[in-house]
Short mmCIF file of all heavy atoms in Angstrom, two decimals:
data_model
loop_
_atom_site.label_atom_id
_atom_site.label_comp_id
_atom_site.label_asym_id
_atom_site.label_seq_id
_atom_site.Cartn_x
_atom_site.Cartn_y
_atom_site.Cartn_z
N MET A 1 0.85 -1.20 0.00
CA MET A 1 0.00 0.00 0.00
C MET A 1 0.89 1.25 0.00
O MET A 1 1.71 1.43 0.89
CB MET A 1 -0.90 0.00 1.24
CG MET A 1 -2.28 0.55 0.94
SD MET A 1 -3.47 0.09 2.20
CE MET A 1 -3.54 1.60 3.14
N SER A 2 0.73 2.11 -1.00
CA SER A 2 1.56 3.31 -1.08
C SER A 2 0.69 4.57 -1.04
O SER A 2 -0.44 4.58 -1.52
CB SER A 2 2.39 3.29 -2.36
OG SER A 2 1.55 3.20 -3.49
N GLU A 3 1.28 5.59 -0.43
CA GLU A 3 0.59 6.88 -0.32
C GLU A 3 0.99 7.77 -1.49
O GLU A 3 2.16 7.85 -1.84
CB GLU A 3 0.97 7.56 1.00
CG GLU A 3 0.45 6.85 2.24
CD GLU A 3 -0.87 7.40 2.72
OE1 GLU A 3 -0.96 8.62 2.92
OE2 GLU A 3 -1.81 6.62 2.90
N ILE A 4 0.03 8.42 -2.11
CA ILE A 4 0.35 9.37 -3.17
C ILE A 4 -0.31 10.71 -2.85
O ILE A 4 -1.30 10.76 -2.11
CB ILE A 4 -0.09 8.87 -4.58
CG1 ILE A 4 -1.58 8.51 -4.61
CG2 ILE A 4 0.77 7.72 -5.04
CD1 ILE A 4 -2.18 8.45 -5.99
N ALA A 5 0.22 11.77 -3.43
CA ALA A 5 -0.32 13.11 -3.20
C ALA A 5 -1.39 13.42 -4.23
O ALA A 5 -1.25 13.08 -5.40
CB ALA A 5 0.79 14.14 -3.26
N CYS A 6 -2.47 14.04 -3.79
CA CYS A 6 -3.56 14.42 -4.69
C CYS A 6 -3.10 15.53 -5.63
O CYS A 6 -2.43 16.47 -5.21
CB CYS A 6 -4.75 14.88 -3.87
SG CYS A 6 -6.11 15.48 -4.87
N SER A 7 -3.46 15.42 -6.92
CA SER A 7 -3.07 16.43 -7.90
C SER A 7 -3.91 17.70 -7.77
O SER A 7 -3.58 18.73 -8.32
CB SER A 7 -3.19 15.87 -9.32
OG SER A 7 -4.53 15.45 -9.56
N HIS A 8 -5.01 17.61 -7.02
CA HIS A 8 -5.92 18.75 -6.89
C HIS A 8 -5.71 19.49 -5.56
O HIS A 8 -5.50 20.69 -5.55
CB HIS A 8 -7.36 18.28 -7.01
CG HIS A 8 -8.36 19.39 -7.02
ND1 HIS A 8 -8.54 20.20 -8.12
CD2 HIS A 8 -9.21 19.83 -6.06
CE1 HIS A 8 -9.48 21.09 -7.82
NE2 HIS A 8 -9.89 20.89 -6.58
N CYS A 9 -5.74 18.76 -4.43
CA CYS A 9 -5.63 19.41 -3.12
C CYS A 9 -4.30 19.13 -2.41
O CYS A 9 -4.08 19.63 -1.32
CB CYS A 9 -6.80 19.01 -2.22
SG CYS A 9 -6.80 17.28 -1.75
N ALA A 10 -3.42 18.33 -3.04
CA ALA A 10 -2.06 18.04 -2.56
C ALA A 10 -2.00 17.23 -1.26
O ALA A 10 -0.93 17.03 -0.70
CB ALA A 10 -1.22 19.31 -2.45
N ARG A 11 -3.12 16.74 -0.76
CA ARG A 11 -3.12 15.91 0.45
C ARG A 11 -2.82 14.46 0.05
O ARG A 11 -3.17 14.04 -1.05
CB ARG A 11 -4.48 16.00 1.14
CG ARG A 11 -4.65 17.33 1.87
CD ARG A 11 -5.77 17.24 2.86
NE ARG A 11 -6.97 17.89 2.33
CZ ARG A 11 -8.07 18.11 3.06
NH1 ARG A 11 -8.12 17.76 4.33
NH2 ARG A 11 -9.12 18.69 2.53
N SER A 12 -2.17 13.71 0.96
CA SER A 12 -1.78 12.34 0.64
C SER A 12 -2.90 11.36 1.01
O SER A 12 -3.63 11.57 1.98
CB SER A 12 -0.48 11.98 1.35
OG SER A 12 -0.66 12.02 2.74
N PHE A 13 -3.01 10.30 0.21
CA PHE A 13 -4.00 9.25 0.45
C PHE A 13 -3.52 7.96 -0.18
O PHE A 13 -2.56 7.96 -0.95
CB PHE A 13 -5.37 9.66 -0.11
CG PHE A 13 -5.39 9.89 -1.61
CD1 PHE A 13 -5.78 8.87 -2.46
CD2 PHE A 13 -4.99 11.11 -2.14
CE1 PHE A 13 -5.79 9.07 -3.84
CE2 PHE A 13 -5.00 11.31 -3.52
CZ PHE A 13 -5.40 10.30 -4.36
N SER A 14 -4.17 6.86 0.13
CA SER A 14 -3.77 5.56 -0.40
C SER A 14 -4.04 5.47 -1.90
O SER A 14 -5.14 5.81 -2.36
CB SER A 14 -4.54 4.46 0.32
OG SER A 14 -4.32 3.22 -0.31
N GLU A 15 -3.04 5.00 -2.64
CA GLU A 15 -3.15 4.86 -4.09
C GLU A 15 -4.26 3.87 -4.48
O GLU A 15 -4.88 4.00 -5.53
CB GLU A 15 -1.80 4.41 -4.65
CG GLU A 15 -1.68 4.61 -6.14
CD GLU A 15 -0.33 4.20 -6.69
OE1 GLU A 15 0.51 3.74 -5.91
OE2 GLU A 15 -0.15 4.32 -7.90
N GLU A 16 -4.49 2.89 -3.63
CA GLU A 16 -5.47 1.84 -3.94
C GLU A 16 -6.91 2.35 -3.96
O GLU A 16 -7.80 1.69 -4.51
CB GLU A 16 -5.34 0.70 -2.91
CG GLU A 16 -4.12 -0.17 -3.20
CD GLU A 16 -3.83 -1.15 -2.08
OE1 GLU A 16 -4.77 -1.62 -1.45
OE2 GLU A 16 -2.65 -1.43 -1.85
N LEU A 17 -7.15 3.51 -3.35
CA LEU A 17 -8.50 4.07 -3.34
C LEU A 17 -8.97 4.43 -4.76
O LEU A 17 -10.16 4.30 -5.05
CB LEU A 17 -8.54 5.34 -2.47
CG LEU A 17 -8.86 5.16 -1.00
CD1 LEU A 17 -8.76 6.50 -0.28
CD2 LEU A 17 -10.26 4.61 -0.80
N GLY A 18 -8.02 4.90 -5.59
CA GLY A 18 -8.39 5.30 -6.95
C GLY A 18 -8.83 6.74 -7.07
O GLY A 18 -8.88 7.28 -8.15
N TYR A 19 -9.18 7.35 -5.94
CA TYR A 19 -9.58 8.77 -5.95
C TYR A 19 -9.24 9.39 -4.60
O TYR A 19 -9.05 8.68 -3.62
CB TYR A 19 -11.08 8.92 -6.25
CG TYR A 19 -11.97 8.34 -5.18
CD1 TYR A 19 -12.42 9.14 -4.12
CD2 TYR A 19 -12.34 7.01 -5.21
CE1 TYR A 19 -13.23 8.60 -3.13
CE2 TYR A 19 -13.13 6.47 -4.22
CZ TYR A 19 -13.58 7.27 -3.19
OH TYR A 19 -14.37 6.74 -2.21
N CYS A 20 -9.17 10.70 -4.57
CA CYS A 20 -8.84 11.42 -3.33
C CYS A 20 -10.05 11.43 -2.40
O CYS A 20 -11.14 11.84 -2.80
CB CYS A 20 -8.42 12.85 -3.68
SG CYS A 20 -8.13 13.88 -2.25
N PRO A 21 -9.89 10.98 -1.14
CA PRO A 21 -11.04 10.97 -0.22
C PRO A 21 -11.42 12.38 0.27
O PRO A 21 -12.49 12.56 0.83
CB PRO A 21 -10.56 10.10 0.95
CG PRO A 21 -9.07 10.18 0.89
CD PRO A 21 -8.68 10.40 -0.54
N HIS A 22 -10.54 13.36 0.02
CA HIS A 22 -10.79 14.73 0.49
C HIS A 22 -11.59 15.54 -0.52
O HIS A 22 -12.51 16.27 -0.15
CB HIS A 22 -9.46 15.44 0.79
CG HIS A 22 -8.57 14.65 1.71
ND1 HIS A 22 -8.85 14.50 3.05
CD2 HIS A 22 -7.44 13.94 1.46
CE1 HIS A 22 -7.90 13.74 3.59
NE2 HIS A 22 -7.04 13.38 2.64
N CYS A 23 -11.23 15.42 -1.79
CA CYS A 23 -11.91 16.24 -2.81
C CYS A 23 -12.50 15.41 -3.95
O CYS A 23 -13.02 15.95 -4.91
CB CYS A 23 -10.94 17.28 -3.37
SG CYS A 23 -9.56 16.57 -4.28
N LYS A 24 -12.39 14.07 -3.84
CA LYS A 24 -12.98 13.12 -4.81
C LYS A 24 -12.36 13.19 -6.21
O LYS A 24 -12.97 12.75 -7.19
CB LYS A 24 -14.51 13.29 -4.93
CG LYS A 24 -15.25 13.23 -3.59
CD LYS A 24 -15.37 11.80 -3.08
CE LYS A 24 -16.24 11.71 -1.83
NZ LYS A 24 -15.50 12.01 -0.59
N THR A 25 -11.13 13.74 -6.31
CA THR A 25 -10.44 13.78 -7.59
C THR A 25 -9.84 12.41 -7.88
O THR A 25 -9.10 11.89 -7.06
CB THR A 25 -9.32 14.85 -7.56
OG1 THR A 25 -9.91 16.12 -7.30
CG2 THR A 25 -8.56 14.90 -8.89
N PRO A 26 -10.16 11.80 -9.04
CA PRO A 26 -9.59 10.48 -9.35
C PRO A 26 -8.11 10.56 -9.64
O PRO A 26 -7.62 11.58 -10.12
CB PRO A 26 -10.37 10.03 -10.58
CG PRO A 26 -10.98 11.25 -11.14
CD PRO A 26 -11.07 12.27 -10.08
N THR A 27 -7.37 9.50 -9.35
CA THR A 27 -5.94 9.44 -9.65
C THR A 27 -5.75 9.31 -11.16
O THR A 27 -6.70 8.98 -11.88
CB THR A 27 -5.27 8.24 -8.95
OG1 THR A 27 -5.87 7.06 -9.44
CG2 THR A 27 -5.39 8.31 -7.45
N VAL A 28 -4.53 9.52 -11.62
CA VAL A 28 -4.24 9.41 -13.06
C VAL A 28 -4.55 8.00 -13.54
O VAL A 28 -5.17 7.82 -14.59
CB VAL A 28 -2.76 9.80 -13.33
CG1 VAL A 28 -2.41 9.56 -14.79
CG2 VAL A 28 -2.52 11.26 -12.98
N ALA A 29 -4.15 6.99 -12.77
CA ALA A 29 -4.42 5.59 -13.13
C ALA A 29 -5.92 5.33 -13.22
O ALA A 29 -6.39 4.65 -14.12
CB ALA A 29 -3.78 4.66 -12.11
N GLN A 30 -6.67 5.91 -12.28
CA GLN A 30 -8.13 5.73 -12.27
C GLN A 30 -8.76 6.42 -13.47
O GLN A 30 -9.69 5.89 -14.08
CB GLN A 30 -8.71 6.30 -10.95
CG GLN A 30 -10.17 5.97 -10.73
CD GLN A 30 -10.44 4.47 -10.64
OE1 GLN A 30 -9.70 3.74 -10.01
NE2 GLN A 30 -11.48 4.02 -11.29
N LYS A 31 -8.23 7.59 -13.84
CA LYS A 31 -8.74 8.31 -15.01
C LYS A 31 -8.55 7.48 -16.27
O LYS A 31 -9.44 7.40 -17.11
CB LYS A 31 -8.01 9.65 -15.16
CG LYS A 31 -8.66 10.78 -14.40
CD LYS A 31 -7.91 12.08 -14.68
CE LYS A 31 -8.27 13.15 -13.67
NZ LYS A 31 -7.35 14.30 -13.76
N GLU A 32 -7.34 6.86 -16.38
CA GLU A 32 -7.05 6.01 -17.54
C GLU A 32 -8.01 4.82 -17.60
O GLU A 32 -8.50 4.46 -18.66
CB GLU A 32 -5.60 5.52 -17.48
CG GLU A 32 -4.61 6.60 -17.94
CD GLU A 32 -3.16 6.21 -17.73
OE1 GLU A 32 -2.89 5.07 -17.30
OE2 GLU A 32 -2.31 7.07 -17.98
N GLN A 33 -8.28 4.24 -16.43
CA GLN A 33 -9.23 3.11 -16.37
C GLN A 33 -10.62 3.54 -16.81
O GLN A 33 -11.31 2.81 -17.51
CB GLN A 33 -9.29 2.55 -14.95
CG GLN A 33 -8.15 1.58 -14.65
CD GLN A 33 -8.27 0.94 -13.28
OE1 GLN A 33 -9.25 1.13 -12.59
NE2 GLN A 33 -7.26 0.21 -12.89
N ASN A 34 -11.02 4.76 -16.40
CA ASN A 34 -12.33 5.27 -16.79
C ASN A 34 -12.42 5.46 -18.29
O ASN A 34 -13.45 5.16 -18.90
CB ASN A 34 -12.59 6.61 -16.08
CG ASN A 34 -12.84 6.44 -14.59
OD1 ASN A 34 -13.03 5.33 -14.11
ND2 ASN A 34 -12.83 7.53 -13.86
N ILE A 35 -11.32 5.95 -18.90
CA ILE A 35 -11.28 6.15 -20.36
C ILE A 35 -11.38 4.81 -21.07
O ILE A 35 -12.16 4.65 -22.01
CB ILE A 35 -10.00 6.93 -20.77
CG1 ILE A 35 -10.08 8.38 -20.27
CG2 ILE A 35 -9.80 6.90 -22.28
CD1 ILE A 35 -8.76 9.13 -20.28
N ILE A 36 -10.63 3.81 -20.57
CA ILE A 36 -10.67 2.47 -21.17
C ILE A 36 -12.08 1.88 -21.06
O ILE A 36 -12.61 1.32 -22.02
CB ILE A 36 -9.60 1.55 -20.52
CG1 ILE A 36 -8.19 2.02 -20.94
CG2 ILE A 36 -9.81 0.09 -20.91
CD1 ILE A 36 -7.06 1.47 -20.07
N ALA A 37 -12.71 2.06 -19.90
CA ALA A 37 -14.06 1.55 -19.68
C ALA A 37 -15.05 2.23 -20.63
O ALA A 37 -15.92 1.58 -21.19
CB ALA A 37 -14.48 1.77 -18.23
N ALA A 38 -14.88 3.53 -20.84
CA ALA A 38 -15.76 4.28 -21.74
C ALA A 38 -15.57 3.82 -23.18
O ALA A 38 -16.54 3.69 -23.93
CB ALA A 38 -15.48 5.77 -21.62
N GLN A 39 -14.30 3.55 -23.56
CA GLN A 39 -14.02 3.06 -24.91
C GLN A 39 -14.64 1.69 -25.14
O GLN A 39 -15.24 1.44 -26.18
CB GLN A 39 -12.50 2.99 -25.13
CG GLN A 39 -11.89 4.35 -25.41
CD GLN A 39 -10.38 4.29 -25.52
OE1 GLN A 39 -9.74 3.37 -25.05
NE2 GLN A 39 -9.79 5.30 -26.13
N LYS A 40 -14.52 0.79 -24.14
CA LYS A 40 -15.10 -0.55 -24.25
C LYS A 40 -16.62 -0.46 -24.41
O LYS A 40 -17.22 -1.18 -25.20
CB LYS A 40 -14.76 -1.37 -23.00
CG LYS A 40 -13.38 -1.99 -23.06
CD LYS A 40 -13.12 -2.83 -21.83
CE LYS A 40 -11.72 -3.41 -21.83
NZ LYS A 40 -11.41 -4.05 -20.55
N LYS A 41 -17.23 0.44 -23.64
CA LYS A 41 -18.68 0.65 -23.69
C LYS A 41 -19.08 1.12 -25.09
O LYS A 41 -20.06 0.64 -25.67
CB LYS A 41 -19.05 1.71 -22.65
CG LYS A 41 -20.46 1.62 -22.14
CD LYS A 41 -20.63 2.62 -21.01
CE LYS A 41 -22.07 2.95 -20.77
NZ LYS A 41 -22.23 4.01 -19.76
N PHE A 42 -18.29 2.07 -25.65
CA PHE A 42 -18.58 2.62 -26.98
C PHE A 42 -18.44 1.53 -28.04
O PHE A 42 -19.29 1.43 -28.93
CB PHE A 42 -17.62 3.78 -27.28
CG PHE A 42 -17.77 4.32 -28.66
CD1 PHE A 42 -18.84 5.16 -28.96
CD2 PHE A 42 -16.89 3.98 -29.67
CE1 PHE A 42 -19.01 5.65 -30.25
CE2 PHE A 42 -17.04 4.47 -30.95
CZ PHE A 42 -18.11 5.31 -31.24
N ILE A 43 -17.37 0.70 -27.95
CA ILE A 43 -17.15 -0.38 -28.92
C ILE A 43 -18.31 -1.37 -28.89
O ILE A 43 -18.82 -1.77 -29.92
CB ILE A 43 -15.77 -1.06 -28.67
CG1 ILE A 43 -14.64 -0.10 -29.08
CG2 ILE A 43 -15.66 -2.38 -29.44
CD1 ILE A 43 -13.27 -0.48 -28.55
N ARG A 44 -18.76 -1.73 -27.68
CA ARG A 44 -19.89 -2.67 -27.54
C ARG A 44 -21.16 -2.08 -28.17
O ARG A 44 -21.89 -2.76 -28.85
CB ARG A 44 -20.13 -2.98 -26.06
CG ARG A 44 -19.82 -4.42 -25.72
CD ARG A 44 -20.06 -4.71 -24.27
NE ARG A 44 -18.96 -4.24 -23.44
CZ ARG A 44 -19.06 -3.98 -22.14
NH1 ARG A 44 -20.18 -4.13 -21.51
NH2 ARG A 44 -18.02 -3.57 -21.47
N TYR A 45 -21.39 -0.78 -27.93
CA TYR A 45 -22.56 -0.10 -28.48
C TYR A 45 -22.47 -0.08 -30.00
O TYR A 45 -23.46 -0.33 -30.69
CB TYR A 45 -22.63 1.32 -27.92
CG TYR A 45 -23.76 2.14 -28.46
CD1 TYR A 45 -25.07 1.94 -28.01
CD2 TYR A 45 -23.54 3.12 -29.43
CE1 TYR A 45 -26.11 2.69 -28.52
CE2 TYR A 45 -24.58 3.87 -29.94
CZ TYR A 45 -25.87 3.66 -29.49
OH TYR A 45 -26.90 4.39 -29.99
N PHE A 46 -21.27 0.18 -30.52
CA PHE A 46 -21.04 0.26 -31.97
C PHE A 46 -21.29 -1.11 -32.62
O PHE A 46 -21.95 -1.20 -33.65
CB PHE A 46 -19.61 0.74 -32.23
CG PHE A 46 -19.32 0.97 -33.69
CD1 PHE A 46 -19.82 2.08 -34.34
CD2 PHE A 46 -18.53 0.08 -34.40
CE1 PHE A 46 -19.56 2.30 -35.68
CE2 PHE A 46 -18.25 0.29 -35.75
CZ PHE A 46 -18.77 1.40 -36.38
N ILE A 47 -20.77 -2.18 -32.00
CA ILE A 47 -20.95 -3.55 -32.52
C ILE A 47 -22.46 -3.89 -32.55
O ILE A 47 -22.96 -4.42 -33.53
CB ILE A 47 -20.13 -4.58 -31.70
CG1 ILE A 47 -18.63 -4.39 -32.00
CG2 ILE A 47 -20.56 -6.02 -32.01
CD1 ILE A 47 -17.70 -5.11 -31.03
N ALA A 48 -23.16 -3.54 -31.46
CA ALA A 48 -24.60 -3.80 -31.39
C ALA A 48 -25.34 -3.07 -32.51
O ALA A 48 -26.25 -3.62 -33.12
CB ALA A 48 -25.13 -3.37 -30.03
N LEU A 49 -24.91 -1.84 -32.80
CA LEU A 49 -25.52 -1.04 -33.86
C LEU A 49 -25.27 -1.67 -35.23
O LEU A 49 -26.18 -1.76 -36.06
CB LEU A 49 -24.95 0.39 -33.81
CG LEU A 49 -25.66 1.44 -34.67
CD1 LEU A 49 -27.00 1.80 -34.04
CD2 LEU A 49 -24.79 2.68 -34.80
N VAL A 50 -24.03 -2.13 -35.49
CA VAL A 50 -23.67 -2.77 -36.76
C VAL A 50 -24.49 -4.05 -36.94
O VAL A 50 -25.05 -4.29 -38.02
CB VAL A 50 -22.15 -3.03 -36.83
CG1 VAL A 50 -21.80 -3.94 -37.99
CG2 VAL A 50 -21.38 -1.71 -36.94
N VAL A 51 -24.58 -4.87 -35.89
CA VAL A 51 -25.35 -6.13 -35.93
C VAL A 51 -26.82 -5.81 -36.23
O VAL A 51 -27.45 -6.47 -37.06
CB VAL A 51 -25.18 -6.92 -34.62
CG1 VAL A 51 -26.17 -8.09 -34.53
CG2 VAL A 51 -23.74 -7.44 -34.50
N PHE A 52 -27.34 -4.79 -35.59
CA PHE A 52 -28.73 -4.38 -35.80
C PHE A 52 -28.95 -3.98 -37.27
O PHE A 52 -29.93 -4.39 -37.89
CB PHE A 52 -29.07 -3.21 -34.85
CG PHE A 52 -30.45 -2.67 -35.05
CD1 PHE A 52 -31.56 -3.36 -34.56
CD2 PHE A 52 -30.64 -1.45 -35.71
CE1 PHE A 52 -32.84 -2.85 -34.74
CE2 PHE A 52 -31.92 -0.95 -35.89
CZ PHE A 52 -33.01 -1.64 -35.40
N CYS A 53 -28.01 -3.20 -37.83
CA CYS A 53 -28.10 -2.78 -39.23
C CYS A 53 -28.07 -3.98 -40.18
O CYS A 53 -28.85 -4.04 -41.13
CB CYS A 53 -26.95 -1.82 -39.57
SG CYS A 53 -27.18 -0.19 -38.86
N ILE A 54 -27.18 -4.94 -39.92
CA ILE A 54 -27.07 -6.14 -40.77
C ILE A 54 -28.38 -6.93 -40.72
O ILE A 54 -28.90 -7.34 -41.76
CB ILE A 54 -25.85 -7.00 -40.34
CG1 ILE A 54 -24.54 -6.27 -40.69
CG2 ILE A 54 -25.90 -8.39 -41.00
CD1 ILE A 54 -23.30 -6.86 -40.04
N ILE A 55 -28.94 -7.08 -39.53
CA ILE A 55 -30.21 -7.81 -39.36
C ILE A 55 -31.32 -7.10 -40.14
O ILE A 55 -32.09 -7.73 -40.85
CB ILE A 55 -30.55 -7.97 -37.86
CG1 ILE A 55 -29.59 -8.98 -37.21
CG2 ILE A 55 -32.01 -8.42 -37.67
CD1 ILE A 55 -29.61 -8.98 -35.69
N MET A 56 -31.36 -5.77 -40.03
CA MET A 56 -32.40 -5.01 -40.74
C MET A 56 -32.24 -5.11 -42.25
O MET A 56 -33.23 -5.24 -42.97
CB MET A 56 -32.35 -3.53 -40.29
CG MET A 56 -32.86 -3.30 -38.88
SD MET A 56 -34.42 -4.09 -38.49
CE MET A 56 -35.57 -2.81 -38.97
N ILE A 57 -30.99 -5.07 -42.75
CA ILE A 57 -30.72 -5.18 -44.20
C ILE A 57 -31.19 -6.56 -44.71
O ILE A 57 -31.84 -6.67 -45.75
CB ILE A 57 -29.22 -4.94 -44.50
CG1 ILE A 57 -28.87 -3.45 -44.32
CG2 ILE A 57 -28.86 -5.41 -45.91
CD1 ILE A 57 -27.39 -3.16 -44.18
N LEU A 58 -30.90 -7.63 -43.95
CA LEU A 58 -31.26 -8.99 -44.35
C LEU A 58 -32.77 -9.23 -44.19
O LEU A 58 -33.37 -9.96 -44.96
CB LEU A 58 -30.47 -10.01 -43.52
CG LEU A 58 -28.95 -10.02 -43.76
CD1 LEU A 58 -28.28 -10.95 -42.77
CD2 LEU A 58 -28.59 -10.42 -45.18
N TRP A 59 -33.36 -8.61 -43.15
CA TRP A 59 -34.75 -8.91 -42.79
C TRP A 59 -35.75 -8.12 -43.63
O TRP A 59 -36.80 -8.65 -44.00
CB TRP A 59 -34.94 -8.63 -41.29
CG TRP A 59 -36.31 -8.94 -40.79
CD1 TRP A 59 -36.87 -10.18 -40.67
CD2 TRP A 59 -37.30 -8.01 -40.36
NE1 TRP A 59 -38.15 -10.06 -40.18
CE2 TRP A 59 -38.43 -8.74 -39.98
CE3 TRP A 59 -37.32 -6.61 -40.26
CZ2 TRP A 59 -39.58 -8.12 -39.50
CZ3 TRP A 59 -38.46 -5.99 -39.78
CH2 TRP A 59 -39.58 -6.75 -39.40
N LEU A 60 -35.39 -6.85 -43.95
CA LEU A 60 -36.33 -6.01 -44.69
C LEU A 60 -36.53 -6.52 -46.12
O LEU A 60 -35.57 -6.90 -46.77
CB LEU A 60 -35.85 -4.55 -44.72
CG LEU A 60 -36.02 -3.76 -43.43
CD1 LEU A 60 -35.31 -2.42 -43.53
CD2 LEU A 60 -37.49 -3.52 -43.10
N PRO A 61 -37.76 -6.54 -46.62
CA PRO A 61 -37.99 -7.00 -48.00
C PRO A 61 -37.45 -6.02 -49.04
O PRO A 61 -37.48 -4.82 -48.83
CB PRO A 61 -39.52 -7.09 -48.09
CG PRO A 61 -40.02 -6.19 -47.03
CD PRO A 61 -38.99 -6.15 -45.95
N ARG A 62 -36.95 -6.55 -50.14
CA ARG A 62 -36.39 -5.71 -51.19
C ARG A 62 -37.36 -5.54 -52.35
O ARG A 62 -38.25 -6.34 -52.53
CB ARG A 62 -35.08 -6.33 -51.72
CG ARG A 62 -33.88 -5.67 -51.07
CD ARG A 62 -32.65 -6.55 -51.14
NE ARG A 62 -32.68 -7.51 -50.03
CZ ARG A 62 -31.64 -8.28 -49.71
NH1 ARG A 62 -30.53 -8.23 -50.40
NH2 ARG A 62 -31.71 -9.09 -48.71
ZN1 LIG B 101 -7.69 15.86 -3.26
#
């Protein structure tokens, strides 16, 4: 367990928390994880949209 300084309020807290308990600012590592999670969510939504389009193209009468 390591202590890191908050980039916003400069107070130290445990790195494992992922965010500052004083001002709720996420750590750099936590921010990166949030971005990765958002990208994964977007990719899943995009795949669902593509699958939906393919189904509609095949299903709709020509
Ligand atoms: Zn802080």
Side-chain angles (χ1 to χ4, degrees):
M1 217 162 101
S2 58
E3 292 266 308
I4 55 161
C6 176
S7 59
H8 186 74
C9 67
R11 285 197 258 189
S12 63
F13 62 95
S14 171
E15 196 178 1
E16 284 170 33
L17 270 176
Y19 65 91
C20 175
H22 308 288
C23 66
K24 306 284 187 276
T25 300
T27 61
V28 174
Q30 189 61 42
K31 271 184 196 168
E32 281 173 4
Q33 277 184 7
N34 289 348
I35 291 165
I36 291 163
Q39 282 176 340
K40 278 182 183 172
K41 206 173 160 185
F42 175 77
I43 289 164
R44 247 180 280 158
Y45 177 77
F46 185 75
I47 289 167
L49 191 74
V50 168
V51 169
F52 177 76
C53 286
I54 291 167
I55 289 167
M56 288 312 270
I57 288 163
L58 294 173
W59 182 68
L60 285 171
R62 262 158 276 191

